[in-house]
């Protein structure tokens, strides 16, 4: 008989690719993870992982079991959801991880809606970058992620997750007041190829959006200044340090008097935002109203 908790460990090892990282995500010791993997191999009668100095890789048998693991864990989530529904599920806590702008744009308004429509649901919110929240959901650290599309993100067809599209927003060009394109109605990105750039750190999903947009315009941006705080990005542009692309919602309510904000000419780079839960959990009576409230907040 295969124990479900060992399947959780197998998936964490496959996701994080080292025993140490999987152990940290699951709040276990590396030795405990190794012991559970060994026990799982004994239960299945197959070697499931190859260990090396560079990390852990699933064997062919491990990949087969991982495919079934995703289905089994999703079904367990559905079972928990139905049991919770049977027990009424009118009160409880749901944890949501979201990047800062998403908290302001959809999570905060969703909480206000839930206070009226589902007062028994308590929502706990954690600030997490768009690329950090999905692993937190998969590792069962939070229930819901408000995340951003980025290179390497789990796809819409990933069997581990159920995704709910929320909104898409363009990036605008932020230029110093004295910039040669400050009077333009729209900014052609190709015209900024030789400028110094200000942008998020690599690993931030917005970094990928900026770099990809510039690559599609035919150049690689020279990033001379780095910050994940868009207020700092705008402040640097206002000081004449360079140019930037910033999500439109991040500019709302911000003092941009020292800079010029212009839409991008042609197809604007876009940030696509979605909510995600572990596959099967979307029917949970506590999570379902939260997803609905997030969707309603995004729509309005």
């Amino acid at each position: 008989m295969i124990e479900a908790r060992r399947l959780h460990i197998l998936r964490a090892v496959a996701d994080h690719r080292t025993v140490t990282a999987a152990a940290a995500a699951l709040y276990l010791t590396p030795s405990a993870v190794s012991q559970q993997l060994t026990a799982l191999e004994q239960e299945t009668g197959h070697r499931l992982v190859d260990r090396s100095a560079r990390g852990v890789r699933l064997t062919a048998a491990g990949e087969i079991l991982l495919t079934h693991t995703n289905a089994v864990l999703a079904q367990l989530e559905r079972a928990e959801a139905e049991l919770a529904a049977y027990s009424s599920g009118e009160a409880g806590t749901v944890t949501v991880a979201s990047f800062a702008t998403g908290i302001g744009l959809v999570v905060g308004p969703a909480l206000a809606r839930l206070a009226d429509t589902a007062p028994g649901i308590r929502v706990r919110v954690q600030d997490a970058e768009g690329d950090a929240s999905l692993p937190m959901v998969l590792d069962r650290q939070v229930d819901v992620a408000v995340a951003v599309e980025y290179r390497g993100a789990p796809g819409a067809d990933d069997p581990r997750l159920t995704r709910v599209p929320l909104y898409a927003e363009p990036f605008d060009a932020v230029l110093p007041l004295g910039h040669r394109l400050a009077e333009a109605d729209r900014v052609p990105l190709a015209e900024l190829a030789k400028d110094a750039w200000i942008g998020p750190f690599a690993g931030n999903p917005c970094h990928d959006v900026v770099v990809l947009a510039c690559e599609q315009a035919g150049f690689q941006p020279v990033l001379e200044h780095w910050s994940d705080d868009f207020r700092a990005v705008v402040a640097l542009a206002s000081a004449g340090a360079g140019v930037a692309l910033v999500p439109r919602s991040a500019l709302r309510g911000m003092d941009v008097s020292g800079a010029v904000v212009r839409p991008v000419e042609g197809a604007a780079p876009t940030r696509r935002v979605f909510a995600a839960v572990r596959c099967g959990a979307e029917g949970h009576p506590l999570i379902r109203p939260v997803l609905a409230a997030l969707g309603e907040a995004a729509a309005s």
Side-chain angles (χ1 to χ4, degrees), residues 289-300:
V290 173
L291 291 176
L294 288 169
E296 291 166 5
S300 61

Side-chain angles (χ1 to χ4, degrees), residues 199-212 223 226:
F201 287 98
N204 184 314
C206 289
H207 172 89
D208 289 343
V209 174
V210 171
V211 171
L212 181 59
L223 284 160
W226 306 75

Side-chain angles (χ1 to χ4, degrees), residues 94-99 102-103 105-107 110 114 123 128-130 133-138 142-150 153-158 160-168 271-282 287-299:
V94 176
T95 52
V96 178
S98 172
F99 58 101
I103 291 174
L105 201 60
V106 293
V107 178
L114 288 167
V123 179
E129 288 298 337
S133 57
L134 294 178
M136 293 170 72
V137 166
L138 291 171
V142 299
D143 300 307
V144 182
V146 174
V148 178
E149 293 282 6
Y150 61 93
D157 59 348
D158 191 297
R160 301 170 298 172
L161 295 167
T162 295
R163 303 188 351 168
V164 178
L166 294 178
Y167 65 92
R271 172 162 72 172
R272 290 177 171 81
V273 180
F274 60 92
V277 298
R278 292 179 296 277
C279 187
E282 65 276 7
I287 293 176
R288 186 173 59 248
V290 173
L291 291 176
L294 288 169
E296 291 166 5

Side-chain angles (χ1 to χ4, degrees), residues 235-287:
L236 287 168
S238 298
V243 300
L245 290 174
V246 176
R248 187 166 292 171
S249 66
L251 294 167
R252 292 178 185 172
M254 191 185 298
D255 180 10
V256 295
S257 58
V260 173
V261 178
R262 294 287 184 267
V264 173
E265 185 177 272
T270 301
R271 172 162 72 172
R272 290 177 171 81
V273 180
F274 60 92
V277 298
R278 292 179 296 277
C279 187
E282 65 276 7
H284 193 287
L286 295 179
I287 293 176

Side-chain angles (χ1 to χ4, degrees), residues 112-203:
R113 291 171 182 270
L114 288 167
D116 292 330
T117 61
I121 298 178
R122 178 189 178 200
V123 179
R124 298 176 60 190
V125 181
Q126 298 185 33
D127 190 337
E129 288 298 337
D131 59 335
S133 57
L134 294 178
M136 293 170 72
V137 166
L138 291 171
D139 292 334
R140 304 180 71 84
Q141 296 172 9
V142 299
D143 300 307
V144 182
V146 174
V148 178
E149 293 282 6
Y150 61 93
R151 292 182 186 181
D157 59 348
D158 191 297
R160 301 170 298 172
L161 295 167
T162 295
R163 303 188 351 168
V164 178
L166 294 178
Y167 65 92
E169 63 171 326
F171 281 58
D172 289 325
V174 180
L175 314 173
L177 284 177
H179 194 274
R180 64 188 181 280
L181 297 176
E183 300 300 322
D185 292 332
R186 293 182 174 271
V187 174
L189 281 186
E191 296 295 320
L192 302 178
K194 295 183 179 179
D195 285 81
W197 278 76
I198 311 156
F201 287 98

